Amino acid sequence: MALVLRRSFEKRGIKVFTGTRTEKVEKTANGLRLTLSGASAATIEADVVLVAIGVTGNVEGLAAPEAKLELFKSRVKVDPEYKTNLENVWAVGDLVSLHWPAESSMAGYRHPDLAHVAHHEAVNCVEHICGVSDHTIDYRYIPGCTYTHPQVASMGHSEKKLREQGREIRIGKFPLAVSGRAKASGETEGFVKLIFDAKYGELLGVHMIGENVTELLAELVLARNLEATENEIIEAMHPHPTISEAVMEAAGVAVGRSIHLIVGRGSAARAAS
């Protein structure tokens, strides 16, 4: 997806530098001067510089020093139930550092700094405190959206990671250039790529790029939660003409049942790579 997005940017005259570090930003009479090092070492003149280098927990003054609230890398350390080291004190959202036991399936996963994650954590935390629910969040399948043009949306595992793990998978990839709705709107860049477990049909990964693909992601989150297989996604009637048909078609490609993109079952994975 990164390569497709880069090509899209470059078609519109946007220069993309990867493997590059900003060493210095200086004010000049006409704006700003950036000194870059690495793969694209250069000096660039600019009007404005936008710095977006991540999220840091705002924990200064959050608790009195004598309370001894435990922090980890400028974040509040919490366990999987969002408990801090202080009795009857919980924390959720972007300021937490979530620590799972080493034997947990979540071990090693970084807490995602996303508004929808914070929302669900807050609801879960309060429901657990009140004893009305024992639902937990599976952080391996957090939906993520990037609001570029074209948009990027993803959930779950990448093809590369799954193959490294030795998983047997089926892949369905449907280009939006084949979508009638995408053609009608003049937004044919991108694709929908779905990754399924080859034995059980479990949805393991979603990777999409294209206009409004962030709106398609909720359907696939629900499909994942309800353990929908490729065939169940195919047989759920998708309205025409819509971009959402690309989800149905991608599932069809994975098992050789696509109508508008003819790919044999044996060659589906190769065509999607």
Side-chain angles (χ1 to χ4, degrees), residues 8-210:
S8 178
F9 284 168
E10 290 174 342
K11 283 179 185 177
R12 285 177 277 153
I14 299 173
K15 293 182 180 180
V16 180
F17 300 100
T18 56
T20 303
R21 180 184 178 91
T22 302
E23 297 290 350
K24 185 166 44 175
V25 179
E26 304 169 278
K27 286 187 177 181
T28 67
N30 298 318
L32 298 160
R33 181 183 297 116
L34 289 79
T35 302
L36 309 180
S37 65
S40 301
T43 301
I44 297 177
E45 302 290 334
D47 297 321
V48 176
V49 173
L50 174 64
V51 180
I53 55 174
V55 177
T56 301
N58 184 10
V59 295
E60 186 175 350
L62 186 63
E66 56 269 24
K68 297 183 180 180
L69 177 65
E70 187 175 1
L71 304 179
F72 182 82
K73 295 184 178 180
S74 298
R75 293 173 182 252
V76 177
K77 185 176 179 179
V78 298
D79 69 10
E81 294 182 347
Y82 314 112
K83 293 178 181 179
T84 70
N85 65 306
L86 305 181
E87 187 177 359
N88 294 328
V89 177
W90 293 260
V92 298
D94 295 359
L95 85 134
V96 304
S97 178
L98 189 51
H99 291 251
W100 290 277
E103 66 276 9
S104 169
S105 61
M106 304 283 192
Y109 279 83
R110 182 183 176 277
H111 181 272
D113 298 323
L114 298 169
H116 46 279
V117 172
H119 168 86
H120 281 271
E121 286 177 343
V123 172
N124 279 5
C125 183
V126 173
E127 288 184 343
H128 286 181
I129 292 169
C130 296
V132 298
S133 171
D134 60 357
H135 171 67
T136 58
I137 296 172
D138 189 341
Y139 287 87
R140 297 170 300 173
Y141 294 96
I142 297 293
C145 302
T146 307
Y147 297 98
T148 47
H149 182 216
Q151 295 178 359
V152 176
S154 62
M155 177 188 68
H157 305 289
S158 68
E159 177 184 353
K160 179 181 178 181
K161 182 175 181 180
L162 290 167
R163 293 200 186 281
E164 287 173 350
Q165 293 173 353
R167 295 288 296 269
E168 291 293 325
I169 57 176
R170 281 196 291 261
I171 297 172
K173 185 176 179 182
F174 188 79
L176 295 182
V178 184
S179 163
R181 181 66 180 85
K183 287 181 179 180
S185 62
E187 296 283 358
T188 56
E189 268 188 313
F191 57 81
V192 172
K193 178 178 178 179
L194 306 181
I195 307 174
F196 298 92
D197 176 79
K199 184 175 181 180
Y200 299 108
E202 177 187 7
L203 181 60
L204 300 175
V206 176
H207 305 278
M208 304 185 288
I209 182 167

